[in-house]
Amino acid sequence: MELMNKPTTHEPFVAPERAADFLALSRKTVLKLARRGDLPAHPVGRGVRQMWRFRLSELSRWLECEAVKLDQPSGSE
């Protein structure tokens, strides 16, 4: 019963515009990356025109991983 008394934290989803602002990218680029599966995103709805929503914590982790990839030598030297 103790679990019922604990407050739960819920991270809201954000729209592509907010995700683009957070990543300093254009909305169009964010949506392109989401559709390709290169950016952590959550499609909402079914059919041809899906809406995309994002969690800032997932985008933050994605940015950190991208920065690590850029810092590592490419091996082609």
Side-chain angles (χ1 to χ4, degrees), residues 8-43:
T8 58
T9 57
H10 172 72
E11 180 183 0
F13 288 98
V14 298
E17 295 80 9
R18 176 68 181 102
D21 184 50
F22 180 78
L23 296 171
L25 297 171
S26 72
R27 178 184 180 276
K28 185 177 178 178
T29 299
V30 165
L31 290 173
K32 182 171 101 175
L33 292 170
R35 286 186 195 107
R36 287 194 330 212
D38 294 336
L39 190 68
H42 304 271

Side-chain angles (χ1 to χ4, degrees), residues 9 14 17 20 29 32 35-36 39 46 50 52 54 56 58-59 64-67 71-72 76-77:
T9 57
V14 298
E17 295 80 9
T29 299
K32 182 171 101 175
R35 286 186 195 107
R36 287 194 330 212
L39 190 68
R46 297 177 189 226
Q50 291 182 326
W52 291 91
F54 305 85
L56 296 182
E58 293 173 348
L59 296 176
E64 289 173 12
C65 289
E66 289 300 305
D71 285 343
Q72 294 182 0
S76 61
E77 296 176 47

